[in-house]
Amino acid sequence: MDTVSVADGVCDVSWWLSPLADGVPNDAWRIAEERLAAAEVSQSRWDEWRTILESDPDIGWTSEGLLQGHAYREAVRAEVRAALEEAGYPDTNRVIEVYSDISCSE
């Protein structure tokens, strides 16, 4: 679980990985698990995802903290996908998905 500070509070994010196909190679699991455990979100990546999420007209963010928490979550998910792609498991044929639960308090 990650606990991240956001505007006026914190968000707790719990993570799990799930296969999207049968027979996911052990190497893909190892890469995804390691990247998820070591993921560090730079402020620029966090801001990038905040901008992407904020621009979605279908989402009505109820608070800045919630938006920031979700931006952090998406940045971590993107790190795992990038690590898998670098190792030869392209996102166009995703074999593992990163799921999460997020709870923010302000």
Side-chain angles (χ1 to χ4, degrees):
M1 178 181 296
D2 290 346
T3 299
V4 293
S5 295
V6 296
D8 301 322
V10 297
C11 290
D12 293 320
V13 187
S14 58
W15 308 97
W16 68 96
L17 300 170
S18 184
L20 295 179
D22 291 332
V24 174
N26 288 337
D27 185 51
W29 281 109
R30 181 188 57 75
I31 291 163
E33 289 168 349
E34 287 176 1
R35 178 59 68 176
L36 184 59
E40 291 190 20
V41 177
S42 68
Q43 188 62 51
S44 62
R45 282 296 272 175
W46 203 341
D47 292 343
E48 178 183 337
W49 275 101
R50 184 192 174 285
T51 299
I52 291 168
L53 293 174
E54 186 177 42
S55 68
D56 187 334
D58 295 329
I59 303 174
W61 297 103
T62 57
S63 73
E64 178 63 24
L66 189 60
L67 172 58
Q68 290 174 349
H70 281 267
Y72 175 85
R73 180 182 70 173
E74 292 305 319
V76 170
R77 293 179 71 228
E79 272 200 39
V80 174
R81 289 192 303 269
L84 286 167
E85 184 141 358
E86 289 172 15
Y89 304 100
D91 197 48
T92 55
N93 190 26
R94 193 178 302 175
V95 294
I96 296 173
E97 182 60 86
V98 180
Y99 292 103
S100 63
D101 281 329
I102 185 168
S103 173
C104 297
S105 60
E106 297 181 38

